Amino acid sequence: MPASLSVPPSHDFDAVIFAYTGVIGLAPSSGQWARLAGLAGWRRSEVGAFKRQYRQWLPRYQENLLGTKEFWTVLMHPEQGAGLDSELLAALRNADTDMWTSTDPGVTAVLRSTHTAGTPVALLADVPWPVADAIEGTEWRATLITRTVFSSQTGVTSPAARAFDAACVAVRGRPEHTLYVDRSRRNLDAAARFGLKVLHSTGDPTELTGRLPHGPADDAGTTRRPSSPAPLASVTRQPRGQGPRHAVEARMAVQVHRGTDMSPRDRAIRLQKTEQPAQHPA
């Protein structure tokens, strides 16, 4: 099992890549699922069916192939018809975002320790734009993460090799000298095939502590901002709402996501202005 590969001494790492879902981000509670399903018109007895439908369409939403309104239109209960007004759409978006932005304080403490060691940290997150925007506004992201790589930015989700490549490029990490932390064994297997060192997160933050770079706590409990990241890197993504066979390659500069830098939504607008329609033979 690739996830059991020995991890080299921490000083050998160029960088550490943390998966978001299941590692830093906590899984939604049953109550949160029930609330979201209810907003979409599903009965409490139908929450299981709603979750299956949600998970079926989620990758397209995460990769920005579906917009927020398109995603929730598909997920509305059939009996609701076309009853998706702007107020309900906002409620669904907010409830969904809230569901995916609770974090494990034990893991953020590990992040803080890794940060004090001076090791660049990339966040690799398979999330749609609303969740990406919310993550960008958090204190732990601003102070502990060197770069963020969102699927809604790159147009690709884990375990695709391009997702791992984008994260390595973002923090100038050589795969063989970069550690990837995830809870998903499927993703860990793919990351190991890509060439990354891998570490399985079991949900116990204390198990991560001894395997990751760590440094002494800052004086007075303060936290330094992440060190200056690498120069701008190029990534590719597909235009929203088009399938793989209609993909166009668009190059964009990945801005450093700090302070007043562009939000994910602003980056999307900038990217769309650079895209050209795909040319298909007659």
Side-chain angles (χ1 to χ4, degrees), residues 216-282:
D218 291 343
D219 294 338
T222 59
T223 303
R224 301 187 305 272
R225 293 188 64 84
S227 55
S228 297
L232 300 181
S234 292
V235 298
T236 61
R237 65 174 285 276
Q238 292 180 349
R240 183 174 65 80
Q242 296 190 23
R245 71 187 183 90
H246 297 296
V248 296
E249 293 255 323
R251 309 298 291 182
M252 72 174 286
V254 182
Q255 300 286 337
V256 184
H257 306 159
R258 297 185 303 177
T260 58
D261 292 329
M262 289 193 297
S263 70
R265 189 175 304 280
D266 291 336
R267 289 195 304 276
I269 294 171
R270 178 175 176 178
L271 175 60
Q272 289 166 0
K273 291 179 179 178
T274 70
E275 292 177 346
Q276 298 297 323
Q279 299 297 316
H280 301 289

Side-chain angles (χ1 to χ4, degrees), residues 104-162:
D104 186 331
V107 178
T108 54
V110 173
L111 270 176
R112 199 171 300 277
S113 179
T114 301
H115 165 69
T116 61
T119 304
V121 176
L123 178 69
L124 183 59
D126 295 339
V127 294
W129 285 118
V131 179
D133 282 331
I135 290 173
E136 288 289 10
T138 62
E139 181 275 338
W140 62 266
R141 183 270 168 269
T143 58
L144 304 178
I145 302 297
T146 310
R147 294 279 199 183
T148 51
V149 179
F150 296 117
S151 61
S152 47
Q153 169 198 57
T154 63
V156 62
T157 52
S158 307
R162 284 200 295 134

